[in-house]
Amino acid sequence: KFPPNIQNRLKNVLIGIPTFNSDDGDIPFFWYIPHSGSLTQSIMTGCCHLILAAQKGSVDSREVNLRISDIDGHQYVNVDLSVAPGIKRASDLMLASSGLADVFVTNHLHYASAKLLNESHHGVMFTMIRNPVEQSIATYMTVALHSIEKYGIDLTPEQYFEE
């Protein structure tokens, strides 16, 4: 959790993000770095009431129309921009020109920008970067937990950081 002064500044910055259908075609494009920007997404949806095109909006990939889903009081477009097939689907359904999302959220910066943006729809990228040591520890904790649950392997910090 961010200290209150940073959280309040972040909220003020996000409130100033242009709407998706801005006259200049700019689309806020949040480059999500795993274990670094989850709180930012919660602030965007919960505090700023923005609609995200992100992983949480993912649904049945056979669905042929874009729509807004409400997930625990947060709004998302029914696409998954965290995986290549989801980005391709969003592109095929013309997410950028739909006007449904206030912010695109993806960890696939290059692929998503190439598939989703064009001359009429420009991305304005922003990100949150966590202290690299804290990020590495959080990543280790996730990998270690999944290693135990999935494979029964107890991965020590030494083993993880040697790789």
Side-chain angles (χ1 to χ4, degrees):
K1 189 166 182 164
F2 292 118
N5 64 330
I6 293 175
Q7 192 163 337
N8 291 338
R9 285 190 197 133
L10 180 62
K11 180 178 176 184
N12 291 338
V13 167
L14 294 175
I15 288 171
I17 290 176
T19 58
F20 181 31
N21 288 323
S22 63
D23 293 336
D24 55 8
D26 288 345
I27 300 169
F29 196 95
F30 180 58
W31 176 28
Y32 172 67
I33 299 170
H35 306 290
S36 292
S38 299
L39 179 60
T40 306
Q41 293 179 62
S42 294
I43 292 170
M44 286 190 282
T45 58
C47 299
C48 302
H49 306 290
L50 297 173
I51 299 167
L52 304 187
Q55 178 181 9
K56 277 204 173 175
S58 64
V59 293
D60 185 349
S61 62
R62 296 170 295 187
E63 199 168 347
V64 295
N65 294 314
L66 293 174
R67 64 177 172 77
I68 296 171
S69 332
D70 188 283
I71 301 172
D72 298 325
H74 301 263
Q75 293 190 311
Y76 299 90
V77 178
N78 62 330
V79 294
D80 183 355
L81 300 185
S82 70
V83 293
I87 294 167
K88 182 179 180 326
R89 178 177 170 270
S91 175
D92 292 345
L93 294 175
M94 298 184 291
L95 174 65
S97 60
S98 75
L100 291 177
D102 295 312
V103 181
F104 290 0
V105 179
T106 185
N107 55 329
H108 296 284
L109 179 64
H110 297 286
Y111 183 69
S113 61
K115 295 297 278 181
L116 300 173
L117 304 174
N118 56 41
E119 291 296 319
S120 302
H121 303 97
H122 311 109
V124 178
M125 190 192 87
F126 65 105
T127 194
M128 294 296 290
I129 299 175
R130 187 177 188 178
N131 176 304
V133 173
E134 290 178 11
Q135 182 182 12
S136 295
I137 292 169
T139 302
Y140 159 72
M141 298 299 285
T142 301
V143 169
L145 177 64
H146 290 310
S147 296
I148 292 170
E149 289 177 351
K150 197 169 187 177
Y151 305 109
I153 300 170
D154 190 9
L155 185 65
T156 67
E158 292 80 12
Q159 292 169 321
Y160 174 77
F161 290 107
E162 280 179 9
E163 308 252 338

